[in-house]
Amino acid sequence: MTKEFSRRQALTLGALGVGAVAVGTTGLVVGSRSSTSSSSNSSSGSSGTTWTEPPVLSSENGVLELDLRLGATDVTIDGTTVRMLSYNGSVPGPTLHVRPGDSLRIHLHNGLDEPTNLHTHGLVVSAVGNSDNPFLRIAPGETFDYEIDLPDDHPAGVCWYHPHHHGMVADQLFAGLYGAIIVDEDDWATVPPRVVVVSDVTVVDGQVAGVSGVERMLGRTGQTLLTNGQVTPALRAPAGGRERLLVVNACSSRYLDLELAGLDAQLRGRDSVRLAQPRSTQRVVLTPGNRADLVITVPSSPVELTAAAYDRGQAGMGMMGGQSAVSPEATVLSIVPDAEAPASVVADASTTPRPDLRVAAVDATRTLTMTMGGMGGGGGMRFLIDGRAFDPNRVDQTVRVGTVEEWTIVNQSPMNHPFHLHIWPMQVVRGADSEVQTVDVRDVVDVPARQSVTVRISFDRFPGNTLYHCHILDHEDLGMMGVIQAR
């Protein structure tokens, strides 16, 4: 198994260059954001890489239409050419900015030598036909036209997109296929947020490294942490000013335990839903797939925003030898006070009213159990939900549209598993330790090792089939996924 790098070793890889202009897009290009000034690019405790963001494509007149081209791309890591996969030639892909009620028309061109598809993670939209359909298979060389309609009451929040073709999800995402989707009514021409897409990668001999069977079973963790495709970029802004960070954890397995002490941080939203009231916080834990809407105050001296080491448990005995799955400490970005940098304007906090499902009538209850262990047909560990590996032709759960259900997600394994349900947000009502006293709505819920979490779900619309699964993407590819049918 590849050894984990220290933070210093990761920093020596330098910064991953990201193209400033999207290729082949037909949407409105707002542009990419960079943070530069006449000051030196070096700062205490950071690599000093200039802050950049992916290009932003915004809807016009209720429609965002774009070409999204997948292919291999040469990027630069500290002067070394590395071959990665990309959307429209950039890593991450372009940020898609849409509003409730908009239509997303995405012409997906598969330039890979293997099949793929597209999942708009966090969008509350239909999962059938040419919408957010995870069962589609887009063959090499093919083009598929997605049409995804957001309802008029779609919540404002941070979403993202990535491939979802079973068996290839972790490999394709790890190689560079991910990008942000932001839903809001804000005017980004005057109050743009900072889009912060965090991912990780391991590079060997100019290529994205493959992974061993053991790494797949643990859940791969890249040796280098990237933020908007760079290592520890420096976000420069005047001291005392406020900055809004829309953070996406686009890692395949890594947890981000964000340390926010000293930044006067306010949490405005989790996943695709804004909070009823922003709240002060000094720590936010984002499992793979989670997102956060944060506002921070720029300190008077440089500070590193760090993700602390996070223990995800261990893979058990036998051939795994009880190896631990640790997300190692890493620096996400540095915050550098700079009087010459442009000051940001932060949009006023807006909320998304959510019904409190704790007081709703529950139409049905069910328990789903995640397990791992034993040996599959290929000699590897088995990753199961309710004792079964994923079968796209089998319906595992059937629900009725217009009902509210309570699900208890039980994790009987020695590793954490973040549980993701497509298209329907989940309200956490009981955590691993206690009842939840607030309206806590997410689409990825961490279920700690040997514990359980209870959620309530309003199946208020969208008949058809979609998926639920572990969002450690190697575990999903290895079978920890099921099919849900709403009718």
Side-chain angles (χ1 to χ4, degrees):
M1 178 177 175
T2 306
K3 294 182 179 178
E4 294 170 345
F5 273 18
S6 67
R7 183 193 306 179
R8 177 172 295 180
Q9 287 172 310
L11 291 177
T12 63
L13 287 177
L16 177 66
V18 177
V21 179
V23 178
T25 55
T26 57
L28 174 65
V29 181
V30 175
S32 57
R33 181 165 180 173
S34 63
S35 174
T36 60
S37 76
S38 60
S39 302
S40 168
N41 274 342
S42 63
S43 61
S44 174
S46 77
S47 67
T49 304
T50 299
W51 179 267
T52 61
E53 295 178 24
V56 177
L57 305 178
S58 281
S59 61
E60 289 186 286
N61 301 318
V63 176
L64 175 53
E65 184 170 3
L66 67 144
D67 293 294
L68 203 57
R69 301 183 182 275
L70 290 77
T73 301
D74 286 337
V75 299
T76 302
I77 297 179
D78 196 25
T80 300
T81 299
V82 178
R83 198 72 168 167
M84 295 188 73
L85 302 183
S86 71
Y87 291 114
N88 289 358
S90 71
V91 179
T95 296
L96 311 182
H97 179 213
V98 294
R99 294 170 173 79
D102 280 354
S103 291
L104 259 175
R105 298 173 185 168
I106 301 175
H107 310 295
L108 191 75
H109 307 277
N110 184 9
L112 308 179
D113 58 4
E114 59 190 21
T116 191
N117 61 16
L118 186 71
H119 172 41
T120 54
H121 181 136
L123 288 188
V124 182
V125 295
S126 172
V128 301
N130 62 344
S131 188
D132 183 27
N133 185 342
F135 301 99
L136 292 171
R137 182 185 188 274
I138 303 169
E142 287 188 349
T143 294
F144 186 84
D145 296 327
Y146 283 89
E147 185 155 355
I148 302 170
D149 296 323
L150 280 67
D152 291 339
D153 61 350
H154 195 290
V158 183
C159 306
W160 63 303
Y161 60 94
H162 62 82
H164 213 294
H165 188 271
H166 181 60
M168 300 178 178
V169 182
D171 285 344
Q172 292 184 359
L173 179 137
F174 194 67
L177 293 178
Y178 41 79
I181 304 174
I182 312 300
V183 183
D184 63 28
E185 298 277 10
D186 298 340
D187 180 5
W188 283 25
T190 56
V191 288
R194 304 275 191 170
V195 177
V196 184
V197 181
V198 184
S199 60
D200 58 2
V201 70
T202 299
V203 176
V204 175
D205 297 329
Q207 304 286 334
V208 176
V211 293
S212 67
V214 171
E215 286 174 309
R216 286 187 184 278
M217 287 184 274
L218 288 169
R220 74 188 75 187
T221 298
Q223 294 174 344
T224 303
L225 192 71
L226 301 175
T227 298
N228 293 340
Q230 303 179 74
V231 177
T232 320
L235 192 161
R236 297 177 177 273
R242 297 196 305 160
E243 294 287 338
R244 185 172 173 216
L245 311 180
L246 304 184
V247 185
V248 177
N249 184 354
C251 300
S252 59
S253 300
R254 182 191 294 258
Y255 283 49
L256 298 176
D257 186 353
L258 301 179
E259 298 180 328
L260 301 166
L263 296 175
D264 188 27
Q266 293 278 319
L267 180 66
R268 287 191 176 189
R270 292 291 301 262
D271 290 359
S272 59
V273 177
R274 291 187 183 172
L275 303 181
Q277 293 291 332
R279 64 173 183 263
S280 297
T281 185
Q282 295 191 8
R283 178 193 184 207
V284 172
V285 178
L286 301 180
T287 73
N290 275 146
R291 291 87 65 207
D293 182 341
L294 293 164
V295 174
I296 63 169
T297 300
V298 180
S300 58
S301 58
V303 170
E304 289 185 342
L305 175 55
T306 300
Y310 196 94
D311 186 357
R312 300 190 279 114
Q314 61 183 25
M317 303 305 291
M319 69 170 288
M320 300 298 295
Q323 295 189 59
S324 294
V326 175
S327 299
E329 178 180 321
T331 301
V332 177
L333 55 88
S334 61
I335 303 163
V336 181
D338 186 344
E340 298 183 25
S344 290
V345 177
V346 175
D348 292 337
S350 61
T351 61
T352 303
R354 299 288 303 181
D356 187 350
L357 298 183
R358 291 176 298 174
V359 299
V362 174
D363 298 288
T365 62
R366 64 186 77 203
T367 298
L368 282 66
T369 302
M370 298 187 288
T371 57
M372 49 184 279
M375 293 297 164
M381 185 175 290
R382 304 174 72 212
F383 289 81
L384 311 173
I385 299 180
D386 293 336
R388 298 184 290 190
F390 174 64
D391 180 348
N393 299 311
R394 182 189 67 231
V395 173
D396 299 287
Q397 311 292 337
T398 301
V399 301
R400 287 190 299 112
V401 174
T403 63
V404 173
E405 292 199 1
E406 181 172 288
W407 290 18
T408 297
I409 317 300
V410 178
N411 180 2
Q412 293 184 346
S413 82
M415 297 177 67
N416 290 26
H417 293 295
F419 181 84
H420 174 44
L421 173 64
H422 287 210
I423 77 174
W424 296 289
M426 300 174 283
Q427 181 176 334
V428 184
V429 295
R430 282 190 294 278
D433 301 319
S434 61
E435 304 286 323
V436 176
Q437 303 301 319
T438 60
V439 179
D440 184 356
V441 179
R442 312 183 192 187
D443 54 56
V444 184
V445 176
D446 192 34
V447 187
R450 308 294 191 193
Q451 298 186 62
S452 64
V453 172
T454 300
V455 300
R456 288 189 179 179
I457 307 157
S458 176
F459 295 102
D460 57 346
R461 62 187 105 182
F462 307 128
N465 290 7
T466 191
L467 300 172
Y468 54 88
H469 59 85
C470 174
H471 217 282
I472 293 176
L473 296 179
D474 284 303
H475 295 173
E476 172 204 318
D477 283 336
L478 290 170
M480 194 172 272
M481 181 158 64
V483 176
I484 177 174
Q485 181 181 83
R487 60 188 186 187

